[in-house]
Amino acid sequence: TFKIERPSSGGDLPQGGDFNPFPVARRVNSFHAVAMDDDMESGSLGPFQDRPKTFPNMRSKSNTPLIFRMLRKINVRLLFVLLLLGFAAIFYVGASTSPIIVFVFSVCIISFLLSIYLTKWVLSKDEGPPEMAQISDAIRDGAEGFFRTQYGTISKMALLLAIVILGIYLFRSTTPQQESSGIGRLTSAFITVAAFLLGALCSGVAGYVGMWVSVRANVRVSSAARRSAREALQIAVRAGGFSALVVVGMAVLGVAILYATFYVWLGVDSPGSMKVTDLPLLLVGYGFGASFVALFAQLGGGIYTKAADVGADLVGKVEQGIPEDDPRNPAVIADLVGDNVGDCAARGADLFESIAAEIISAMILGGTMAEHCKIEGKFHSLTNPSGFILFPLVVHSFDLIVSSVGIFSIRGTRDTGMIAAIEDPMTILQRGYSVTIILAVLTFGLSTRWMLYTEQAPSAWFNFALCGLVGIMTAYIFVWITQYYTDYKHEPVRTLALSSSTGHGTNIIAGISLGLESTALPVLVISVSIVSAFWLGHTSGLVDEAGNPTGGLFGTAVATMGMLSTAAYVLTMDMFGPIADNAGGIVEMSQQPESVREITDVLDAVGNTTKATTKGFAIGSAALASFLLFSAYMDEVAAFSHQSFKQVDIAIPEVFVGGLLGSMLIFLFSAWACAAVGRTAQEVVNEVRRQFIERPGIMDYKEKPDYGRCVAIVASASLREMIKPGALAIISPIAVGLVFRVLGYYTGHPLLGAKVVAAMLMFATVSGILMALFLNTAGGAWDNAKKYIETGALGGKGSDCHKAAVTGDTVGDPFKDTAGPSLHVLIKMLATITLVMAPIFL
């Protein structure tokens, strides 16, 4: 007998696209084969599952980001003192700005302390037997290695773009408000670039936090599933809760710190300085930085996870007939790594960007409306509309509070692990969501009365509270609609599963038709929400100096805030999905009893539904937020051009062409994202087939697969493939705006470039919402149709019906985890990039 010790380090991480951290894995495999030959000669060869299970160490050096490695080297007492000084500085700046900022800072810091408690609680749970820990280590090392390489590439692109923005702002014109307050081009340029880089940094940290907790919680959920399904559920939820609280808290804290810093530094509202109503426009760079990182994180992570998943499923399930996450499949480790870099890291950056963009757009519209209405403020002077500007920060501070209550409402029990003895996990999660919704309604009403009451319109706050209620109801309905179309307890997915019984083609047809149908109800809900919120704001009683109602757009902004007022709990449910998926993989690879795998399968199926509901939630919020950002863009163009810009006439040929280009951008981006998954998956399929042919002992557990080779393939390809669609999204609106600006200059239409970009943004938003709804819902339905058959329905695993469902799932994978989630990020990034680049279109 022999034992292969787990190596302490792998090879070096090559730079660029040659990411291959597995030279040690190949040496281990070759040594394993030599030792196996010796055993065969002596006749002592036992089954593979009876031998020590070793997995490649993918870590060549510390993959922890530099900033965290530096913090670890600091003395604990010194670090504590530095933190105290930092908090003191933050609170001093906040106190110099507004008592509301102090409240926001306090809630965010408390939520961070609460997330630390959740971390300690999750990490205190046991990791199970050694074979579970080894698999978890391999997943963690692969995820952290790819994250480090991917975000290194993204950071270089962000620095390059920051230089471009600096150059543009140094030569652009300034608004009359900036000129009157003494903010020149240089100051404006450095403020925008600093905000952009801070937003990009915070988005990267949000992604790292999402990945960090998932790769440590997965094995603990697997271990808990051996004892109790409810305990496994609680660990997964609390691990997701840690990530959600940090992501939302960072988004709120980042915007609040920027706002307070600029307020104090620029002497806002003092004589001869900037008005507070103009301050939110300086924060646009923060949202653009967050969108930029989120887009590339979603693209790179989505290509990685789905290429590995498709490759593993096509060869493993369809050709070889082995179960999902079987240790004989060479692509299984890459698949499990992908869950963390695609669903956790990317989703953390995604939700961070959603909240940041929504807060900034609502602050801009709140300030604009308050200025037009000459609202009297409560904090510093007679005309300080701080309540309307800071309202979004207060709403999301209460979001942290109510979502924390919802997370802690899900408690563990000592129930047995039998499936029949436990409550449906989706019911438990929905109960926690209901608690969060009820508290969100109460706190939202309190926030509107506190922040939005004005003597000019005493009942306006109540109308805005109703706007928030519209948003909260919209979020709840969106979650319900997505659950209806993606959960196998409901008719659509069961019908899709039944279509698999007649072959692969009918499964594909049924899945596409289900996805197309699923766009109808969400669009109707969004339409009713926008019209209702606009009408409530319009009739709130707030009027400008001419007596015209002005609260309509702000009412829509308040509805968006209501929709995102439970964002932390929704993100918790989303993070639950990939953690449960990884837990199932670890259980399968470590060959635990079937009863344990049944528990993780149930959690995994629920996780598929929660991931789909989060995507639907994000699309709905993106639709509302993009509408707000579009209005903010029109206001900014009017400010720079000194001309009224309140409507876009698509009857003008150039403007109509801009709309067509916007719609085309959505389809071309989706095509390139899906094609990237397809090309990478082909490489994985060829590699897995090669290993099965060249190592026939794999199927009999006599040889170990080379997991490292598959991870290296998808890591290298995903970094390479994410560049083209990402560059398309960034360059297109700038190029279109500049081309039509030049055309407008020679034809005597100075606003032509801005109008064409507005049409492009408008059409891209509409097309993007529909396409994202179709892709996300169809992909989720295909996945759960497969899961439904794997429960034993329609022939169960290995049947022809199951093989057809696997084909549908592989088609749906790039839909729901690569192109679909990237689209709502693309929509918001188009809106923020047009805001930042608006001056160059004039």
Side-chain angles (χ1 to χ4, degrees):
T1 61
F2 68 97
K3 182 176 181 180
I4 303 174
E5 296 294 339
R6 185 172 182 267
S8 59
S9 64
D12 292 333
L13 275 174
Q15 300 298 315
D18 298 326
F19 174 69
N20 185 357
F22 295 98
V24 170
R26 285 191 290 274
R27 292 198 296 271
V28 170
N29 284 328
S30 61
F31 174 65
H32 182 83
V34 170
M36 192 172 294
D37 290 340
D38 294 340
D39 279 354
M40 291 177 69
E41 290 176 5
S42 62
S44 60
L45 183 65
F48 179 82
Q49 54 265 45
D50 293 339
R51 295 181 169 278
K53 302 176 180 67
T54 60
F55 293 87
N57 181 2
M58 307 182 201
R59 182 180 299 156
S60 61
K61 55 183 175 181
S62 176
N63 290 315
T64 307
L66 178 62
I67 185 171
F68 292 107
R69 296 204 303 270
M70 293 173 62
L71 288 174
R72 285 180 182 176
K73 295 178 181 179
I74 301 176
N75 180 274
V76 176
R77 292 182 180 179
L78 177 59
L79 183 61
F80 182 72
V81 171
L82 291 175
L83 285 174
L84 285 180
L85 291 175
F87 288 151
I90 288 173
F91 277 102
Y92 173 77
V93 173
S96 302
T97 306
S98 165
I100 303 302
I101 294 292
V102 175
F103 168 77
V104 171
F105 285 164
S106 301
V107 172
C108 289
I109 290 171
I110 291 171
S111 72
F112 290 151
L113 295 175
L114 192 60
S115 66
I116 291 173
Y117 166 77
L118 289 175
T119 308
K120 294 177 70 68
W121 186 89
V122 170
L123 296 182
S124 67
K125 301 299 180 181
D126 70 285
E127 296 186 347
E131 57 267 26
M132 278 189 174
Q134 287 182 334
I135 299 167
S136 176
D137 286 347
I139 296 169
R140 183 183 68 207
D141 294 342
E144 291 182 345
F146 175 73
F147 182 92
R148 179 176 178 273
T149 308
Q150 180 195 27
Y151 274 73
T153 303
I154 294 174
S155 62
K156 293 172 185 175
M157 293 189 292
L159 288 173
L160 179 62
L161 185 56
I163 295 172
V164 172
I165 294 173
L166 180 65
I168 290 173
Y169 270 65
L170 285 175
F171 296 99
R172 69 164 208 172
S173 59
T174 56
T175 64
Q177 295 86 348
Q178 291 174 340
E179 291 173 0
S180 63
S181 60
I183 297 180
R185 294 179 180 177
L186 185 64
T187 303
S188 177
F190 280 107
I191 283 175
T192 304
V193 170
F196 171 80
L197 291 176
L198 181 62
L201 175 64
C202 290
S203 183
V205 173
Y208 180 75
V209 165
M211 183 270 301
W212 186 91
V213 67
S214 66
V215 296
R216 287 161 176 79
N218 50 18
V219 68
R220 290 166 170 85
V221 174
S222 302
S223 178
R226 298 180 304 152
R227 299 184 295 272
S228 164
R230 186 67 178 262
E231 182 185 354
L233 171 70
Q234 187 187 22
I235 293 173
V237 168
R238 290 198 170 186
F242 157 76
S243 178
L245 292 178
V246 171
V247 168
V248 177
M250 279 183 54
V252 176
L253 189 64
V255 174
I257 289 176
L258 265 187
Y259 177 89
T261 302
F262 292 159
Y263 189 98
V264 174
W265 176 41
L266 299 174
V268 173
D269 273 349
S270 59
S273 65
M274 174 180 282
K275 294 180 182 179
V276 71
T277 51
D278 298 324
L279 182 57
L281 276 173
L282 299 179
L283 308 177
V284 171
Y286 186 84
F288 181 34
S291 298
F292 177 83
V293 172
L295 180 68
F296 281 99
Q298 187 67 69
L299 272 173
I303 293 169
Y304 186 112
T305 182
K306 290 304 106 180
D309 195 1
V310 169
D313 284 353
L314 283 179
V315 183
K317 289 184 179 180
V318 177
E319 296 182 8
Q320 299 295 332
I322 58 179
E324 185 174 6
D325 300 324
D326 192 289
R328 293 170 290 180
N329 194 326
V332 68
I333 290 289
D335 184 13
L336 296 174
V337 169
D339 292 332
N340 297 285
V341 299
D343 290 332
C344 291
R347 197 74 71 248
D350 177 5
L351 263 291
F352 176 90
E353 177 266 344
S354 294
I355 295 167
E358 179 267 331
I359 289 175
I360 292 169
S361 60
M363 291 175 78
I364 292 172
L365 290 176
T368 302
M369 186 197 68
E371 183 179 19
H372 290 165
C373 297
K374 303 297 181 184
I375 291 174
E376 294 183 356
K378 301 176 284 187
F379 301 121
H380 292 294
S381 64
L382 294 177
T383 56
N384 190 340
S386 298
F388 285 82
I389 295 173
L390 299 179
F391 178 63
L393 296 175
V394 172
V395 169
H396 285 292
S397 297
F398 279 117
D399 171 21
L400 291 169
I401 296 173
V402 301
S403 295
S404 298
V405 176
I407 292 166
F408 280 95
S409 69
I410 298 175
R411 308 184 65 85
T413 65
R414 296 188 179 276
D415 293 341
T416 64
M418 298 300 293
I419 295 295
I422 67 168
E423 193 175 357
D424 178 16
M426 195 68 206
T427 302
I428 299 171
L429 293 175
Q430 287 281 24
R431 189 181 302 137
Y433 186 48
S434 299
V435 170
T436 307
I437 286 280
I438 293 170
L439 293 175
V441 171
L442 297 175
T443 56
F444 205 95
L446 174 64
S447 301
T448 51
R449 180 62 179 83
W450 177 24
M451 302 293 293
L452 303 183
Y453 178 80
T454 174
E455 293 181 359
Q456 291 177 234
S459 63
W461 71 270
F462 184 72
N463 280 46
F464 290 128
L466 293 179
C467 291
L469 183 61
V470 167
I472 293 172
M473 291 173 60
T474 301
Y476 191 84
I477 294 171
F478 251 85
V479 169
W480 182 85
I481 291 172
T482 312
Q483 184 180 344
Y484 172 74
Y485 278 109
T486 57
D487 194 331
Y488 62 61
K489 297 183 185 67
H490 302 291
E491 188 65 24
V493 173
R494 296 199 174 201
T495 302
L496 176 58
L498 183 62
S499 71
S500 305
S501 61
T502 52
H504 301 252
T506 51
N507 172 276
I508 300 300
I509 294 170
I512 291 175
S513 62
L514 184 150
L516 293 171
E517 178 189 322
S518 70
T519 62
L521 285 178
V523 168
L524 291 175
V525 171
I526 291 173
S527 303
V528 171
S529 301
I530 290 176
V531 173
S532 301
F534 188 90
W535 182 83
L536 285 168
H538 191 71
T539 58
S540 63
L542 291 171
V543 295
D544 59 17
E545 292 178 289
N548 300 315
T550 59
L553 278 178
F554 188 69
T556 310
V558 174
T560 310
M561 286 180 266
M563 190 168 186
L564 287 171
S565 62
T566 56
Y569 189 86
V570 173
L571 180 57
T572 298
M573 291 198 297
D574 181 82
M575 292 291 182
F576 163 86
I579 292 172
D581 194 352
N582 261 209
I586 292 172
V587 165
E588 181 73 33
M589 291 193 71
S590 60
Q591 299 170 353
Q592 300 298 311
E594 186 64 26
S595 60
V596 180
R597 179 71 210 216
E598 288 175 4
I599 290 174
T600 56
D601 278 347
V602 171
L603 296 180
D604 186 16
V606 170
N608 284 333
T609 302
T610 59
K611 286 190 290 184
T613 56
T614 306
K615 291 164 189 168
F617 174 86
I619 293 167
S621 66
L624 294 177
S626 296
F627 180 68
L628 305 181
L629 289 166
F630 179 75
S631 302
Y633 167 74
M634 297 180 76
D635 288 341
E636 186 176 8
V637 170
F640 277 101
S641 64
H642 314 299
Q643 300 181 40
S644 176
F645 189 48
K646 296 186 178 296
Q647 59 187 13
V648 179
D649 187 359
I650 61 172
I652 299 173
E654 294 88 349
V655 176
F656 183 72
V657 168
L660 283 178
L661 292 174
S663 297
M664 177 271 291
L665 172 63
I666 296 299
F667 283 81
L668 186 59
F669 178 89
S670 303
W672 284 359
C674 290
V677 173
R679 284 191 296 269
T680 309
Q682 286 176 343
E683 295 183 46
V684 177
V685 166
N686 291 333
E687 173 61 24
V688 174
R689 285 174 175 167
R690 181 191 67 78
Q691 290 198 35
F692 278 126
I693 293 171
E694 296 180 3
R695 301 184 182 189
I698 288 177
M699 290 301 295
D700 299 323
Y701 295 98
K702 294 177 180 177
E703 291 185 81
K704 182 182 287 293
D706 185 355
Y707 304 108
R709 181 61 187 158
C710 290
V711 174
I713 288 172
V714 290
S716 175
S718 59
L719 290 174
R720 180 180 66 249
E721 297 282 0
M722 75 178 184
I723 302 297
K724 189 168 76 169
L728 173 74
I730 294 169
I731 295 172
S732 295
I734 299 175
V736 169
L738 289 175
V739 168
F740 282 95
R741 172 191 172 175
V742 173
L743 182 62
Y745 175 79
Y746 285 106
T747 57
H749 297 87
L751 289 183
L752 184 62
K755 290 179 179 179
V756 170
V757 169
M760 183 181 189
L761 177 60
M762 188 187 302
F763 279 60
T765 299
V766 172
S767 302
I769 291 167
L770 293 171
M771 179 69 84
L773 286 168
F774 161 66
L775 295 175
N776 285 329
T777 309
W782 266 316
D783 197 345
N784 271 351
K786 177 198 69 175
K787 287 284 192 299
Y788 176 61
I789 294 172
E790 289 176 349
T791 62
L794 302 173
K797 293 182 180 180
S799 64
D800 290 339
C801 186
H802 180 239
K803 290 181 179 180
V806 170
T807 300
D809 181 35
T810 57
V811 173
D813 277 338
F815 279 27
K816 69 182 175 66
D817 286 325
T818 306
S822 299
L823 280 177
H824 65 258
V825 182
L826 171 65
I827 292 168
K828 285 172 287 188
M829 199 196 74
L830 287 174
T832 54
I833 197 172
T834 51
L835 265 177
V836 172
M837 300 297 182
I840 69 171
F841 303 146
L842 304 173

